[in-house]
Structure formats: C-alpha cells, structure tokens
Amino acid sequence: MPARRYATLDVFTETPLAGNPLAVVLDAEGLDDAAMQAIAAEFNLSETVFVLPPAEDRHRARLRIFTPTQELAFAGHPTVGTAVLLALGDARAEIADAVAFGLEEKVGVVPCVVETGEGSGRARFRLPRLPESWGEEPDATILAAALNLSPSEIGFARHRPSRYSAGTPFHLVPVQGLEALARARTSAEAMVQALGPNSKVFLYTGETGDPAHSFRARMFAPAAGIAEDPATGGAVAAFAGALMQFEPLGSGTHDLVVAQGIEMGRPSEIALQLTIEDGALRAAEIGGGAVLVSEGVLHL
C-alpha cells in the first residue's frame, strides 16, 4: 500500500488545542471519491483536505474538501490550514518564510498569502466568489422552534435572518445576545424539517463580551455530520453579504473579527476584511492563524 503523508492542524487560532481541527492528506493522488469520503469519515473532523497536483503549474496545489458525509466546493478553515501547512513545508525547504500562491478549489482559484513561524503561521485569502443571496429570508418562527429559542430572540438592530453563499450556502440567523446564543440547540431532524437538506446555520450576535471582537457566532450543520463547528470561514465569507445588507458600512476598508467556538471550549478568531466602493462590496478577505499539531502516514 502507498504511504500518504498527513498532518493535523488547529485553525483560526494561535494556540494548540483551540480553534478548529483540520486533517490534511498530502500525496492524495490515486484516491478516488469514495476513498476520500471514507478517510474523511475516519478522521471525523469537520473537514479533511486532500492535496493534489494543480491543474495549472502556476498554482500551488489543487484541494478537495470533505466533511464526514459530503464534499464541499469551498471552506475557509481548510483553506487557511492547508495554506499554512504548505508554506511550512516551503520554509523547511528554505524556499521562503512568507509566500503567496493560488489554491485550486471547486469554487475557483483562491489567492493566499502566508507568513510562517516555528510550526505555525497566519494565512489570509481573497474570496474567489463574493457572497450572493440564494433565497428569501427564513421564517423567524420556524427558525426559533428549530433552535430551541423564542421568536422574539431572533434578530437584533437592523439584522434579520438571511441566506447567503460565497461558495457554500448558509442560513444566517442573528440572535438577541450572548445568552440566547449560548442556549441555542438543534438536531439534524429539526434542521432538515425546518430548512430542508441544505441546513447549515450560522448564528451570530453583536454582543461579544470582548471589545476585540465585532461579532460572536456559532455554526450548526448536523445534517452534514457536523453537530457544531468551532470556526467556519465559509460562513463568515457568506456573512459578508449580511453585513452589506444590514450594516451601514461606508466606502473604504473595514476590518472585523468574528469569535466562534467559545461555547465549545475551542475559542477561535476569524478576521474578515471588506473593501467597499460606492456602496458595493468589491473584495473580501478571510484570515487567521494555524498551528501544526501532528504529522503521520496513512497506509492506504
């Protein structure tokens, strides 16, 4: 059997055993779809990445991203974690300590910039696809019932439930404050019944308890095999659409930090930068840290 290198990292954190765990399988050539899905189920993390040679030589690699039950076209923490891992390999080979490259994902080419340290790094990437609305506002009463909340706890200030996608579609649900955010509970059955099979739900509030954070969030995707995710870059990418809809943001560059995973004991910080011109979102970037946790070999 071929030996395939793999690594695990904690992403959207600079501290081991915090953030969102990620598995990255290097040397993934020869694995078919079923094998990749089975390996992702074996790791049983929110996402597992398989690194393949790029279709175009000018790009660093081609990525395929799997949850324990399905493949994704795009996800944020796999992009950040894999970018840092590949850059750490370049640093070991004395190629560079700070690098820029493109990663090919099903959503398109994702431009990344990475800086590395000793076993860790920070990466940021520009969204290859800006967020777009993909449906009417979800009904607040239905959402509340599925999330174990009252309808009055759905929404705050200008924010109402919305649906946006920057490659992966999310239901974006604002809640009144930290107490409601902490109390939210759901299940695959409740989510599918309320929202259908595409039931990834990103809850957020403007009450953070920390002046360094702009918003605090949780993400549930039980129908995709993810009861709760500690840090969801793809959801924050979609969230940029809700910010454009509900926040009075003027022209210029806006830097925000979304805290996630705190209720799980896996605190994470996701940096979001928006570039706005004449009332339109022109560009958005996601960024964060990643820490190498383990390295090994799969005999598959």
Side-chain angles (χ1 to χ4, degrees):
M1 291 185 180
R4 304 179 190 277
R5 295 171 297 149
Y6 77 88
T8 64
L9 304 96
D10 288 331
V11 184
F12 289 125
T13 181
E14 297 180 0
T15 305
L17 308 182
N20 199 349
L22 174 73
V24 181
V25 178
L26 302 159
D27 315 312
E29 289 180 273
L31 292 172
D32 61 19
D33 293 6
M36 290 183 187
Q37 188 64 76
I39 292 169
E42 179 79 7
F43 277 114
N44 199 32
L45 299 174
S46 55
E47 280 104 15
T48 296
V49 177
F50 298 87
V51 179
L52 298 157
E56 296 187 28
D57 290 342
R58 61 195 179 96
H59 300 144
R60 184 64 174 80
R62 178 166 63 94
L63 309 187
R64 295 188 65 182
I65 303 168
F66 287 78
T67 77
T69 62
Q70 62 186 237
E71 185 173 9
L72 302 178
F74 163 75
H77 107 274
T79 301
V80 167
T82 305
V84 168
L85 179 64
L86 295 175
L88 285 171
D90 292 344
R92 287 175 181 173
E94 299 183 350
I95 296 173
D97 292 324
V99 293
F101 48 67
L103 294 176
E104 298 172 0
E105 301 183 18
K106 287 202 167 184
V107 72
V109 177
V110 183
C112 303
V113 176
V114 192
E115 296 181 1
T116 59
E118 185 63 36
S120 65
R122 290 190 63 84
R124 69 180 190 274
F125 64 86
R126 178 168 290 199
L127 299 188
R129 182 186 302 175
L130 291 176
E132 297 178 344
S133 175
W134 61 272
E136 297 180 359
E137 294 181 8
D139 183 86
T141 301
I142 293 173
L143 286 169
L147 292 165
N148 193 40
L149 298 173
S150 68
S152 64
E153 293 176 302
I154 303 296
F156 66 86
R158 300 177 180 85
H159 288 254
R160 305 184 306 274
S162 60
R163 290 181 169 121
Y164 281 93
S165 173
T168 299
F170 287 90
H171 305 271
L172 307 174
V173 183
V175 298
Q176 281 289 327
L178 292 175
E179 193 275 334
L181 186 72
R183 189 161 31 84
R185 298 287 185 276
T186 192
S187 67
E189 181 181 1
M191 282 287 94
V192 171
Q193 184 176 356
L195 299 171
N198 180 23
S199 53
K200 297 179 178 69
V201 177
F202 184 73
L203 277 68
Y204 66 94
T205 180
E207 181 182 334
T208 66
D210 186 334
H213 300 151
S214 311
F215 295 90
R216 180 123 144 226
R218 299 176 72 184
M219 200 288 281
F220 302 113
I226 304 168
E228 183 172 355
D229 197 35
T232 318
V236 173
F239 180 49
L243 291 173
M244 291 299 298
Q245 181 178 351
F246 300 121
E247 287 288 324
L249 299 173
S251 294
T253 299
H254 301 267
D255 290 294
L256 306 100
V257 176
V258 177
Q260 193 179 330
I262 294 170
E263 291 77 9
M264 302 175 66
R266 304 280 310 195
S268 308
E269 291 186 341
I270 304 171
L272 172 64
Q273 184 180 88
L274 307 178
T275 301
I276 300 172
E277 295 178 4
D278 300 323
L281 182 62
R282 301 301 183 188
E285 292 188 356
I286 297 286
V291 182
L292 183 63
V293 175
S294 70
E295 296 178 280
V297 175
L298 298 177
H299 297 283
L300 296 168

